[in-house]
Amino acid sequence: MNPFSVQTLGSEGDVEKLNLDAQTRYLAGGTNLVDLMKHQIETPVSLVDLSEWEGASEIEKTGNGYRIGAMVTNTELANFAWREPSLSVLSQALLSGATVQLRNRATTGGNLLQRTRCYYFYDTAKPCNKREPGTGCSALTGMNRIHAIFGTSEQCIATHPSDMAVALMALNASVSVKTAMGKNRDIALREFYCTPGETPERENVLEQGDLITSVYIPAGTRGTQHYYKVRDRASYAFALVSVAAALELNEETIHSVSLSFGGVGTIPWYPKKALEILQGNKFSVQLLEKAIDAELADAKTFGSNDFKPGLLRRVFLSVMLSLAQRQKKQPGHEGALYENR
Amino acid sequence: MSAIHINGESYPLPDDPRTTLLDFLHQNLSLFGTKKGCDHGQCGACTVLVDGQRMNACLMLAFQLKGKNITTIEGIGSNTELHPLQQAFIEKDAFQCGYCTSGQICSGVALLNEMAQSDPSIVSAQQDCSTREDIAERMSGNLCRCGAYPNIVDAIEQVIALERQS
Ligand SMILES: Cc1cc2nc3c(=O)[nH]c(=O)nc-3n(C[C@H](O)[C@H](O)[C@H](O)COP(=O)(O)OP(=O)(O)OC[C@H]3O[C@@H](n4cnc5c(N)ncnc54)[C@H](O)[C@@H]3O)c2cc1C
Ligand code: FES
Ligand code: FES
């Protein structure tokens, strides 16, 4: 690890007093940043320690939604969301990510900004446009089993690894930011992440020094919810494919549907085309197939990940059919798919 | 002010901010019970308790833990009496080489509290999940190269049963 100096953030108001140059990073739980610093992938000269940040570890339930402080841990958020039927999918996504040890340390802000798990991003001996712009993408023609099928470019096909972000995308969350100049701004999560295009090193719309202060989730009924994660082992592994879904039926008609996919996009994937086909229409297997096929029309595979479109299609159909079954059995049901909830 | 509390003793924080808690335990305090397996959050051998919560010591920079109470394997139980989970590991033969064991035990001690306070796991919500499946999921952050997993689950199950009795 390279040497670095330490600055401390005691409150949001401190942002303007910090030295936030391009070589400075915020340090929250450190479960991603410290790892990347050990690998010399991140080499900041200064860290802003967030561990003493007052007031950023609270979850506030308002009339219209939930405000989650940036320093709320993944465990705290999972446990809270567990008791809120309309946030069930978020709790499931968090609990299926990493391990208890990591979730106890990881924070809401840090989780959103965690970097990809692409093997070549981690291997400093190999070219990687995300790590070192202009060097090339080793995954395009290399091992790309875990890589993306949506939102890829000639420069990068790495997936975004967060489970939490996938659920927050489905729940239409937004991110609140304090800029280095002390201004506040809110960004819809669905507009927060950037696909790689020609600049894979730019992963989101944040500007230098921007501090995530909280995440906001609008309240609302969403029906039956489920997060289904397919991975190489039963636990402690990143998603190959995941589906976050919520469905509310009114008799046979889709009253509301929320969807997002993980493990398949260069960013947590919001399937606009599928949603347009589903919303407000009569529920049927044919409609589901039409929706997922419309989304998959844009998918591009790279050899070792050729299995992903088929896997995503099957997981999507299975999840949606289970949700519909529950809605038909128990009209107006709100919360997790599991039988005993 | 700049102290860190480890197994009830206070120590000054390391001068070099790059020092992880794990390296601090080894290099500054000669507390070698906590093990380094991967040094990247991928194995759980370095699991310790921070204010009672289990965390990976290899990914925490010590300077961030100012004022925190850390418990390592040396602080679980006492010199004269083993913690019930340590005793259960012996009775159930829950290790072979023993390298992962201090992490497993620290993790298991936290798990007992988490289950007692009904914290959810991704399998605990499902209707047909057994306590064994739930323990396995909750312990998935601790790998064991010797494959002592069934016996580790046995040991934890035994202590849960003991606690429920009392
Ligand atoms: C072995 C392993 C397995 C894992 N498995 C999974 C998994 O299955 N699913 C999953 O989703 N995740 C998984 N993770 C990733 C884990 O969820 C992230 O490491 C964690 O959420 C990051 O949070 P943190 O607080 O530790 O962030 P840090 O490491 O502190 O920071 C991450 C990044 O966010 C920036 N940052 C942090 N807070 C702020 C803020 N408030 N404002 C602006 N910038 C900020 C930092 O500068 C840094 O760039 C795994 C991690 C490991 C090590
Ligand atoms: S040594 Fe810390 S998790 Fe492996
Ligand atoms: S007992 Fe050998 S690694 Fe677990």
Side-chain angles (χ1 to χ4, degrees):
Chain A
M1 219 186 277
N2 287 3
F4 53 82
S5 63
V6 178
Q7 309 177 63
T8 308
L9 184 108
S11 71
E12 249 176 72
D14 289 349
V15 171
E16 288 163 86
K17 296 179 220 148
L18 298 168
N19 175 13
L20 294 166
D21 61 23
Q23 299 301 311
T24 301
R25 292 285 178 277
Y26 291 113
L27 176 66
T31 60
N32 191 219
L33 185 55
V34 171
D35 192 23
L36 294 171
M37 286 166 68
K38 287 186 184 187
H39 283 289
Q40 304 272 325
I41 295 164
E42 289 270 15
T43 51
V45 297
S46 180
L47 291 182
V48 177
D49 179 16
L50 302 183
S51 56
E52 291 176 44
W53 181 3
E54 294 261 349
S57 302
E58 274 139 41
I59 302 177
E60 200 190 328
K61 198 170 162 178
T62 66
N64 308 327
Y66 306 87
R67 186 158 294 283
I68 321 294
M71 292 300 286
V72 169
T73 67
N74 288 180
T75 294
E76 288 162 348
L77 184 52
N79 292 357
F80 173 82
W82 193 250
R83 291 172 182 89
E84 300 289 318
S86 71
L87 300 183
S88 171
V89 72
L90 173 61
S91 182
Q92 295 170 47
L94 282 160
L95 292 173
S96 60
T99 64
V100 183
Q101 285 97 316
L102 289 159
R103 297 194 296 267
N104 281 343
R105 186 78 193 149
T107 65
T108 307
N111 191 315
L112 287 176
L113 298 183
Q114 61 175 299
R115 312 290 308 272
T116 183
R117 293 279 157 171
C118 169
Y119 326 114
Y120 304 104
F121 176 72
Y122 266 84
D123 184 350
T124 50
K126 292 274 175 15
C128 168
N129 282 328
K130 195 183 264 305
R131 180 170 31 78
E132 254 182 273
T135 54
C137 172
S138 306
L140 275 173
T141 52
M143 294 289 292
N144 47 42
R145 187 168 175 278
I146 62 170
H147 288 73
I149 58 174
F150 293 124
T152 58
S153 76
E154 290 293 305
Q155 310 303 326
C156 181
I157 61 171
T159 42
H160 193 279
S162 169
D163 291 297
M164 181 190 82
V166 175
L168 286 177
M169 197 78 112
L171 295 173
N172 197 16
S174 57
V175 182
S176 296
V177 169
K178 184 82 134 187
T179 70
M181 311 298 284
K183 296 225 160 58
N184 296 317
R185 91 185 157 116
D186 292 329
I187 307 156
L189 191 62
R190 291 173 188 166
E191 272 138 42
F192 182 77
Y193 292 107
C194 306
T195 52
E198 293 300 310
T199 51
E201 70 282 7
R202 187 174 171 84
E203 297 178 351
N204 51 59
V205 298
L206 292 181
E207 303 288 342
Q208 185 178 310
D210 279 0
L211 174 73
I212 295 180
T213 53
S214 66
V215 168
Y216 182 75
I217 309 171
T221 56
R222 297 182 171 101
T224 309
Q225 311 188 3
H226 198 54
Y227 186 75
Y228 194 108
K229 179 172 175 181
V230 181
R231 42 186 158 173
D232 278 324
R233 53 185 183 192
S235 191
Y236 206 178
F238 288 91
L240 286 170
V241 164
S242 72
V243 170
L247 179 70
E248 222 182 344
L249 290 184
N250 186 355
E251 310 251 304
E252 293 291 307
T253 306
I254 297 176
H255 179 66
S256 81
V257 54
S258 317
L259 265 185
S260 182
F261 301 152
V264 288
T266 51
I267 60 176
W269 198 250
Y270 183 61
K272 280 204 203 84
K273 287 189 177 168
L275 282 162
E276 269 166 28
I277 291 173
L278 294 171
Q279 193 69 57
N281 283 319
K282 187 163 178 291
F283 185 90
S284 70
V285 176
Q286 291 73 21
L287 184 74
L288 293 179
E289 287 177 339
K290 192 174 154 200
I292 191 68
D293 289 341
E295 196 66 39
L296 282 169
D298 296 334
K300 192 163 187 268
T301 63
F302 299 88
S304 313
N305 70 354
D306 290 353
F307 68 94
K308 282 197 176 181
L311 183 59
L312 175 62
R313 194 174 191 276
R314 291 193 298 279
V315 172
F316 168 78
L317 292 175
S318 153
V319 168
M320 294 303 283
L321 288 170
S322 308
L323 295 178
Q325 205 175 21
R326 182 66 189 266
Q327 281 282 304
K328 284 177 187 166
K329 203 166 129 190
Q330 198 181 338
H333 173 255
E334 179 80 7
L337 176 63
Y338 309 122
E339 283 295 319
N340 56 349
R341 302 277 298 174
Chain B
M1 260 307 279
S2 298
I4 180 169
H5 314 295
I6 297 173
N7 301 329
E9 299 278 333
S10 297
Y11 301 94
L13 287 168
D15 294 330
D16 189 336
R18 291 175 294 181
T19 317
T20 62
L21 174 62
L22 180 57
D23 288 340
F24 183 63
L25 293 172
H26 287 184
Q27 292 165 10
N28 298 51
L29 309 183
S30 294
L31 287 171
F32 293 107
T34 309
K35 297 293 183 254
K36 185 181 281 191
C38 64
D39 212 20
H40 292 285
Q42 298 182 355
C43 75
C46 65
T47 303
V48 298
L49 307 182
V50 179
D51 291 341
Q53 290 200 305
R54 44 178 161 158
M55 295 183 188
N56 306 94
C58 69
L59 289 185
M60 289 187 282
L61 295 176
F63 78 81
Q64 281 200 301
L65 301 169
K66 189 165 82 181
K68 301 278 185 205
N69 288 302
I70 316 292
T71 309
T72 68
I73 189 67
E74 290 91 345
I76 305 261
S78 70
N79 282 342
T80 50
E81 200 177 356
L82 294 178
H83 184 282
L85 190 59
Q86 291 174 312
Q87 187 61 42
F89 262 63
I90 296 169
E91 286 168 18
K92 294 291 178 183
D93 203 11
F95 48 86
Q96 289 178 45
C97 78
Y99 198 79
C100 70
T101 310
S102 42
Q104 301 277 5
I105 290 177
C106 286
S107 203
V109 167
L111 173 151
L112 297 172
N113 287 333
E114 292 157 12
M115 284 182 77
Q117 64 197 31
S118 300
D119 287 355
S121 86
I122 193 62
V123 304
S124 69
Q126 292 164 37
Q127 203 172 31
D128 300 325
C129 132
S130 68
T131 307
R132 287 186 75 81
E133 283 169 316
D134 193 20
I135 294 171
E137 161 60 25
R138 290 172 192 271
M139 288 298 288
S140 74
N142 293 83
L143 303 188
C144 172
R145 287 197 67 180
C146 301
Y149 299 111
N151 300 17
I152 293 169
V153 176
D154 285 348
I156 295 172
E157 238 185 341
Q158 172 171 301
V159 179
I160 290 174
L162 274 175
E163 285 190 348
R164 284 192 183 148
Q165 268 171 29
S166 61

